[in-house]
Amino acid sequence: MTMMMHKPSGKGKGSGAMALRHAVLAALLDGEYSGYELAKAFDVGVANFWHAQPQQLYAELTRLEKDGLVTGRQVVQETRPTKRLFTVTDAGLAELQRFAAAAAKPSFIRDDLLVKVQAVDRVDAGPVIAQLEERMAVAAAKTDLFTKILRHLRGDLEEAEFLRTGERIGPYLTCLRGLGFEREHHDWCRSTIAVLRAREKTAGRD
Amino acid sequence: MTMMMHKPSGKGKGSGAMALRHAVLAALLDGEYSGYELAKAFDVGVANFWHAQPQQLYAELTRLEKDGLVTGRQVVQETRPTKRLFTVTDAGLAELQRFAAAAAKPSFIRDDLLVKVQAVDRVDAGPVIAQLEERMAVAAAKTDLFTKILRHLRGDLEEAEFLRTGERIGPYLTCLRGLGFEREHHDWCRSTIAVLRAREKTAGRD
DNA sequence: TCATCATAGTCATCAATCTGACTACTCATG
DNA sequence: CATGAGTAGTCAGATTGATGACTATGATGA
């Protein structure tokens, strides 16, 4: 029976998930960016919800322009190399709208360091503790950075007031998520280090 | 000059990151699992730090066995299909040790839903709110699940006591991270929904 | 002056992950 | 006795993401 055999997956490649694509579109809502500038944005604010290498961004911007979702505008500079600034088009906004309305796949942590902690009873705890400390420092730095970004985004207003009346709160809300994540991460690192340290001292005994 | 040209990247494929591989090894430390059982474990406990489809696990287990990092043991069952149970070998443990000592790459959130929230000022907020609600419910369910898993892992002991003297605390520590993550995620969803709802009511006014 | 950094970007390729479609057997349910 | 759910696993392929190597130029600094 089996009504169909070797049907070559009629899904098409223009409609599916295409992860980076929407992250770039969303980041580009804040203004005109060149690939280079966008790469830097992806290292600070946007990093709360996505991360990508510059090369990926350049490639994605090219594809987005080809599909008419962004437009590029050449800017010749005297002292620096010529750059191309990109803006989201109406089609791009429509695509983003479509994406926002579609079901999101569940999120999950995916972290090398957690894999190491999972195995910490059976491998040397020393290096794991060292990496937890490094991670804790990074998380502390990010917490500071996000706090500053939030302050900058809301300007003079108090948070509650800004969230009620601000014009662009999307970046603020995602940054809040980033802040919460880093704080939680930092706390977990601290208490995990404490646990592992305490056990190292009593190793051999018992 | 440029000392070297088109050198074909002497990195080799046996030594690099190979992400899934170590997650599987770490998960397999808890005992013998078949691919099928491991797939279920990856949907509950292990999901705190990694996620994978069953097909990926089968493929990875095959590779791991080929590389001598796990051994498979065929178990013929009367009533069910024959399965293969896998255990980590000494070489596997050594590999895990090597991995645990190597530098971890920084972790980051990568979440469709955050992309949507980033764009929420420019697209219809309705569907985004609906997805935040769904996500909040999932997070609440996971919080419950992790709380139960933690209780089960520590048995009769209190947490502090278990963390001091327990034999296998790796899974407990990663589960704590998962719990913190889900709680934080849940809270963020709740307050984000509240902000967006309040703004929807006053939309048009002002 | 020579080296390095910052800007701005391209190309090619590899590795990792995800998806859909299969096989095969048993058990319970209607 | 057909239907569907659960157990156990395989195969092929497409999509996504990450990496290394490269080209240019102007400014900064030892």
Side-chain angles (χ1 to χ4, degrees):
Chain A
M1 296 301 137
T2 61
M3 249 159 287
M4 46 192 140
M5 23 195 14
H6 55 261
K7 202 181 63 169
S9 97
K11 215 185 61 177
K13 67 237 164 178
S15 61
M18 219 90 47
L20 220 199
R21 140 154 300 202
H22 301 105
V24 170
L25 281 174
L28 227 44
L29 288 177
D30 285 320
E32 268 188 324
Y33 286 104
S34 69
Y36 191 81
E37 288 158 355
L38 197 57
K40 279 187 295 185
F42 262 70
D43 258 17
V44 285
V46 183
N48 298 323
F49 56 88
W50 214 268
H51 175 266
Q53 302 297 306
Q55 295 97 320
Q56 293 175 255
L57 298 177
Y58 285 119
E60 196 58 53
L61 284 169
T62 304
R63 272 192 294 272
L64 282 167
E65 196 184 23
K66 194 195 64 193
D67 295 348
L69 304 184
V70 305
T71 35
R73 179 169 77 84
Q74 195 118 359
V75 174
V76 182
Q77 302 172 110
E78 300 133 36
T79 161
R80 280 150 222 252
T82 298
K83 64 182 174 182
R84 281 158 58 66
L85 295 178
F86 295 92
T87 330
V88 179
T89 63
D90 289 347
L93 198 56
E95 168 61 19
L96 208 45
Q97 169 74 59
R98 196 199 58 70
F99 166 72
K105 43 184 92 158
S107 77
F108 36 78
I109 304 180
R110 179 170 277 191
D111 189 343
D112 273 8
L113 187 49
L114 288 217
V115 175
K116 297 178 189 191
V117 170
Q118 172 87 7
V120 80
D121 305 297
R122 309 288 297 275
V123 302
D124 184 13
V128 178
I129 294 174
Q131 288 175 67
L132 282 164
E133 282 179 325
E134 206 190 300
R135 204 45 104 60
M136 189 168 76
V138 172
K142 281 202 176 182
T143 300
D144 277 6
L145 175 64
F146 291 161
T147 303
K148 272 171 202 147
I149 291 176
L150 288 171
R151 199 153 43 213
H152 177 252
L153 284 174
R154 70 174 173 261
D156 315 317
L157 292 84
E158 279 173 71
E159 178 162 290
E161 175 70 9
F162 173 75
L163 288 175
R164 242 181 295 123
T165 65
E167 274 181 24
R168 181 110 175 81
I169 57 161
Y172 196 91
L173 292 169
T174 55
C175 197
L176 276 177
R177 178 73 186 100
L179 180 61
F181 177 83
E182 294 299 340
R183 272 195 184 137
E184 176 64 35
H185 194 31
H186 180 271
D187 288 357
W188 177 80
C189 285
R190 190 171 33 67
S191 61
T192 299
I193 289 167
V195 167
L196 295 179
R197 280 257 172 73
R199 288 169 70 93
E200 269 201 330
K201 269 184 223 157
T202 55
R205 276 188 251 165
D206 189 40
Chain B
M1 297 299 127
T2 60
M3 251 161 285
M4 46 190 142
M5 23 191 17
H6 54 260
K7 204 182 62 173
S9 95
K11 214 186 63 179
K13 68 235 165 182
S15 61
M18 217 88 50
L20 221 200
R21 137 154 307 200
H22 301 106
V24 170
L25 282 174
L28 228 44
L29 288 177
D30 285 321
E32 268 187 323
Y33 285 105
S34 67
Y36 192 81
E37 289 158 355
L38 196 58
K40 278 187 295 187
F42 261 70
D43 257 17
V44 285
V46 184
N48 299 323
F49 57 88
W50 213 267
H51 174 266
Q53 303 297 305
Q55 294 97 318
Q56 293 175 254
L57 298 178
Y58 286 119
E60 195 59 53
L61 284 169
T62 305
R63 273 193 293 273
L64 282 166
E65 195 184 25
K66 193 195 66 195
D67 295 347
L69 304 184
V70 305
T71 36
R73 179 169 76 83
Q74 193 119 2
V75 174
V76 181
Q77 302 174 110
E78 301 134 34
T79 162
R80 277 153 225 250
T82 299
K83 64 181 173 182
R84 283 158 56 67
L85 295 177
F86 294 92
T87 329
V88 179
T89 63
D90 288 347
L93 198 55
E95 167 62 18
L96 209 45
Q97 168 75 58
R98 196 200 57 70
F99 166 72
K105 45 183 92 158
S107 79
F108 36 80
I109 304 182
R110 179 171 274 191
D111 189 344
D112 272 7
L113 188 47
L114 287 216
V115 176
K116 297 176 189 191
V117 170
Q118 172 88 8
V120 81
D121 305 296
R122 309 288 298 275
V123 302
D124 183 14
V128 177
I129 294 174
Q131 288 174 67
L132 282 164
E133 282 179 325
E134 207 190 301
R135 204 44 104 59
M136 188 167 76
V138 172
K142 281 203 176 180
T143 300
D144 276 8
L145 176 63
F146 291 161
T147 304
K148 273 171 200 145
I149 291 176
L150 288 171
R151 197 151 46 213
H152 177 252
L153 284 174
R154 70 173 173 262
D156 315 317
L157 292 83
E158 278 173 73
E159 179 162 289
E161 175 70 9
F162 173 75
L163 288 175
R164 241 180 296 124
T165 64
E167 275 181 25
R168 180 108 175 81
I169 57 161
Y172 196 91
L173 292 169
T174 56
C175 198
L176 276 178
R177 178 73 185 100
L179 180 61
F181 176 84
E182 294 299 341
R183 272 195 184 137
E184 176 64 34
H185 194 32
H186 180 271
D187 288 356
W188 176 81
C189 286
R190 190 170 35 65
S191 59
T192 299
I193 290 167
V195 167
L196 295 180
R197 281 257 171 74
R199 288 169 69 93
E200 270 202 328
K201 268 183 222 155
T202 54
R205 273 188 252 165
D206 190 40

